[in-house]
Amino acid sequence: MDVPELLRRAAGRVPVGATGEAGTTVADATEYLDHDEWEVALDILVELGDAYASESAYWDLLAEAARLLWLSRTERWCHWRRAEVARGLIRVDLQLVEPGVLGARRTPIPGEGHSRPLWDIGDVTAAGHPDLYVARIWVESQPDLLPGGRGVVRLAPLSPQRWQRLSAGYVITMHEQKPVAGIATVIETVFPVIKGHDGG
């Protein structure tokens, strides 16, 4: 499939009433497609993916369109969003400890999901020590998070089922050594519904 067909197929999956954060709709995306403004249409469709319960196939279409347009960050974002459909969404407000403090980062956290620190979400081992879990970080609205900085990030745990008790307001800590490297307050969690437990 070429880019216009990929984007039209994605647009066909968006409910008519869905509205993006900037007030855009699928009609706007279609209008830009009609004028061969593919990148603008893609941006609108990516934004609309957060306005309804999008599925994996939607993000596959957008990721492939982004790949063909050589938009590598957008492609990676679409793959990230596709994975969130399966594992769930975890957004936190992360405050990194100040540089110079023991355990602090001395380099920025890359924004595109490359960093894999450990997290203390409140579990303990049989010996009574914190049971830390790995989760990748995607930094929202900025290319990276500077040492001592603060920002909203999304987390991709390697064991998402262990995180499903988290809800807004829950406080967790980030670790790259034993000392705390950052403190995060959960803003939003959306976990996939596990089917089959009620007979449905």
Side-chain angles (χ1 to χ4, degrees), residues 159-171:
S159 304
Q161 68 279 2
R162 298 181 184 274
W163 297 61
Q164 293 194 5
R165 73 172 187 278
L166 272 60
S167 58
Y170 205 98
V171 177

PDB file of all heavy atoms in Angstrom, residues 159-171:
ATOM      1  N   SER A 159       7.006  -6.171  32.789  1.00  0.00           N
ATOM      2  CA  SER A 159       6.001  -7.051  33.409  1.00  0.00           C
ATOM      3  C   SER A 159       4.776  -6.213  33.751  1.00  0.00           C
ATOM      4  O   SER A 159       4.520  -5.897  34.920  1.00  0.00           O
ATOM      5  CB  SER A 159       6.567  -7.704  34.677  1.00  0.00           C
ATOM      6  OG  SER A 159       7.756  -8.404  34.411  1.00  0.00           O
ATOM      7  N   PRO A 160       3.983  -5.807  32.742  1.00  0.00           N
ATOM      8  CA  PRO A 160       2.893  -4.856  32.988  1.00  0.00           C
ATOM      9  C   PRO A 160       1.841  -5.352  33.970  1.00  0.00           C
ATOM     10  O   PRO A 160       1.201  -4.554  34.649  1.00  0.00           O
ATOM     11  CB  PRO A 160       2.289  -4.643  31.590  1.00  0.00           C
ATOM     12  CG  PRO A 160       2.763  -5.784  30.762  1.00  0.00           C
ATOM     13  CD  PRO A 160       4.076  -6.191  31.322  1.00  0.00           C
ATOM     14  N   GLN A 161       1.655  -6.675  34.080  1.00  0.00           N
ATOM     15  CA  GLN A 161       0.633  -7.179  34.988  1.00  0.00           C
ATOM     16  C   GLN A 161       0.921  -6.799  36.434  1.00  0.00           C
ATOM     17  O   GLN A 161       0.005  -6.656  37.248  1.00  0.00           O
ATOM     18  CB  GLN A 161       0.483  -8.702  34.838  1.00  0.00           C
ATOM     19  CG  GLN A 161       1.666  -9.524  35.317  1.00  0.00           C
ATOM     20  CD  GLN A 161       2.804  -9.604  34.312  1.00  0.00           C
ATOM     21  OE1 GLN A 161       2.739  -9.011  33.233  1.00  0.00           O
ATOM     22  NE2 GLN A 161       3.844 -10.366  34.653  1.00  0.00           N
ATOM     23  N   ARG A 162       2.184  -6.603  36.774  1.00  0.00           N
ATOM     24  CA  ARG A 162       2.546  -6.239  38.146  1.00  0.00           C
ATOM     25  C   ARG A 162       2.186  -4.787  38.467  1.00  0.00           C
ATOM     26  O   ARG A 162       2.144  -4.400  39.641  1.00  0.00           O
ATOM     27  CB  ARG A 162       4.046  -6.454  38.372  1.00  0.00           C
ATOM     28  CG  ARG A 162       4.502  -7.901  38.215  1.00  0.00           C
ATOM     29  CD  ARG A 162       6.000  -8.002  38.477  1.00  0.00           C
ATOM     30  NE  ARG A 162       6.491  -9.356  38.254  1.00  0.00           N
ATOM     31  CZ  ARG A 162       6.482 -10.326  39.161  1.00  0.00           C
ATOM     32  NH1 ARG A 162       5.985 -10.083  40.367  1.00  0.00           N
ATOM     33  NH2 ARG A 162       6.965 -11.521  38.888  1.00  0.00           N
ATOM     34  N   TRP A 163       1.952  -3.992  37.449  1.00  0.00           N
ATOM     35  CA  TRP A 163       1.695  -2.564  37.625  1.00  0.00           C
ATOM     36  C   TRP A 163       0.205  -2.231  37.649  1.00  0.00           C
ATOM     37  O   TRP A 163      -0.155  -1.063  37.823  1.00  0.00           O
ATOM     38  CB  TRP A 163       2.355  -1.783  36.497  1.00  0.00           C
ATOM     39  CG  TRP A 163       3.851  -1.892  36.448  1.00  0.00           C
ATOM     40  CD1 TRP A 163       4.599  -3.018  36.276  1.00  0.00           C
ATOM     41  CD2 TRP A 163       4.791  -0.821  36.569  1.00  0.00           C
ATOM     42  NE1 TRP A 163       5.940  -2.721  36.265  1.00  0.00           N
ATOM     43  CE2 TRP A 163       6.094  -1.376  36.448  1.00  0.00           C
ATOM     44  CE3 TRP A 163       4.664   0.559  36.748  1.00  0.00           C
ATOM     45  CZ2 TRP A 163       7.245  -0.600  36.512  1.00  0.00           C
ATOM     46  CZ3 TRP A 163       5.819   1.334  36.804  1.00  0.00           C
ATOM     47  CH2 TRP A 163       7.088   0.754  36.692  1.00  0.00           C
ATOM     48  N   GLN A 164      -0.655  -3.201  37.484  1.00  0.00           N
ATOM     49  CA  GLN A 164      -2.059  -2.894  37.247  1.00  0.00           C
ATOM     50  C   GLN A 164      -2.806  -2.374  38.471  1.00  0.00           C
ATOM     51  O   GLN A 164      -3.929  -1.900  38.347  1.00  0.00           O
ATOM     52  CB  GLN A 164      -2.769  -4.113  36.653  1.00  0.00           C
ATOM     53  CG  GLN A 164      -2.270  -4.424  35.255  1.00  0.00           C
ATOM     54  CD  GLN A 164      -3.166  -5.389  34.505  1.00  0.00           C
ATOM     55  OE1 GLN A 164      -4.217  -5.773  34.972  1.00  0.00           O
ATOM     56  NE2 GLN A 164      -2.738  -5.782  33.317  1.00  0.00           N
ATOM     57  N   ARG A 165      -2.210  -2.433  39.637  1.00  0.00           N
ATOM     58  CA  ARG A 165      -2.856  -1.845  40.815  1.00  0.00           C
ATOM     59  C   ARG A 165      -2.625  -0.342  40.906  1.00  0.00           C
ATOM     60  O   ARG A 165      -3.247   0.351  41.715  1.00  0.00           O
ATOM     61  CB  ARG A 165      -2.358  -2.527  42.090  1.00  0.00           C
ATOM     62  CG  ARG A 165      -0.949  -2.153  42.478  1.00  0.00           C
ATOM     63  CD  ARG A 165      -0.590  -2.708  43.859  1.00  0.00           C
ATOM     64  NE  ARG A 165       0.688  -2.227  44.322  1.00  0.00           N
ATOM     65  CZ  ARG A 165       1.863  -2.734  43.963  1.00  0.00           C
ATOM     66  NH1 ARG A 165       1.903  -3.762  43.124  1.00  0.00           N
ATOM     67  NH2 ARG A 165       2.985  -2.239  44.444  1.00  0.00           N
ATOM     68  N   LEU A 166      -1.692   0.186  40.091  1.00  0.00           N
ATOM     69  CA  LEU A 166      -1.385   1.609  40.150  1.00  0.00           C
ATOM     70  C   LEU A 166      -2.542   2.436  39.610  1.00  0.00           C
ATOM     71  O   LEU A 166      -3.203   2.057  38.645  1.00  0.00           O
ATOM     72  CB  LEU A 166      -0.111   1.930  39.349  1.00  0.00           C
ATOM     73  CG  LEU A 166       1.221   1.828  40.094  1.00  0.00           C
ATOM     74  CD1 LEU A 166       1.449   0.421  40.619  1.00  0.00           C
ATOM     75  CD2 LEU A 166       2.369   2.246  39.185  1.00  0.00           C
ATOM     76  N   SER A 167      -2.770   3.572  40.246  1.00  0.00           N
ATOM     77  CA  SER A 167      -3.807   4.498  39.789  1.00  0.00           C
ATOM     78  C   SER A 167      -3.326   5.919  40.036  1.00  0.00           C
ATOM     79  O   SER A 167      -2.260   6.143  40.634  1.00  0.00           O
ATOM     80  CB  SER A 167      -5.125   4.237  40.535  1.00  0.00           C
ATOM     81  OG  SER A 167      -4.933   4.360  41.935  1.00  0.00           O
ATOM     82  N   ALA A 168      -4.086   6.897  39.571  1.00  0.00           N
ATOM     83  CA  ALA A 168      -3.693   8.302  39.691  1.00  0.00           C
ATOM     84  C   ALA A 168      -3.404   8.663  41.143  1.00  0.00           C
ATOM     85  O   ALA A 168      -4.159   8.310  42.053  1.00  0.00           O
ATOM     86  CB  ALA A 168      -4.786   9.194  39.127  1.00  0.00           C
ATOM     87  N   GLY A 169      -2.282   9.341  41.352  1.00  0.00           N
ATOM     88  CA  GLY A 169      -1.883   9.758  42.685  1.00  0.00           C
ATOM     89  C   GLY A 169      -0.854   8.857  43.338  1.00  0.00           C
ATOM     90  O   GLY A 169      -0.209   9.245  44.321  1.00  0.00           O
ATOM     91  N   TYR A 170      -0.680   7.664  42.810  1.00  0.00           N
ATOM     92  CA  TYR A 170       0.285   6.708  43.357  1.00  0.00           C
ATOM     93  C   TYR A 170       1.701   7.232  43.107  1.00  0.00           C
ATOM     94  O   TYR A 170       2.003   7.729  42.029  1.00  0.00           O
ATOM     95  CB  TYR A 170       0.093   5.363  42.666  1.00  0.00           C
ATOM     96  CG  TYR A 170       0.545   4.158  43.456  1.00  0.00           C
ATOM     97  CD1 TYR A 170      -0.363   3.393  44.175  1.00  0.00           C
ATOM     98  CD2 TYR A 170       1.879   3.770  43.480  1.00  0.00           C
ATOM     99  CE1 TYR A 170       0.044   2.274  44.895  1.00  0.00           C
ATOM    100  CE2 TYR A 170       2.298   2.667  44.192  1.00  0.00           C
ATOM    101  CZ  TYR A 170       1.375   1.920  44.903  1.00  0.00           C
ATOM    102  OH  TYR A 170       1.784   0.827  45.617  1.00  0.00           O
ATOM    103  N   VAL A 171       2.571   7.131  44.102  1.00  0.00           N
ATOM    104  CA  VAL A 171       3.946   7.622  43.983  1.00  0.00           C
ATOM    105  C   VAL A 171       4.906   6.440  43.886  1.00  0.00           C
ATOM    106  O   VAL A 171       4.849   5.508  44.698  1.00  0.00           O
ATOM    107  CB  VAL A 171       4.328   8.523  45.180  1.00  0.00           C
ATOM    108  CG1 VAL A 171       5.794   8.957  45.073  1.00  0.00           C
ATOM    109  CG2 VAL A 171       3.419   9.743  45.234  1.00  0.00           C
TER     110      VAL A 171
END
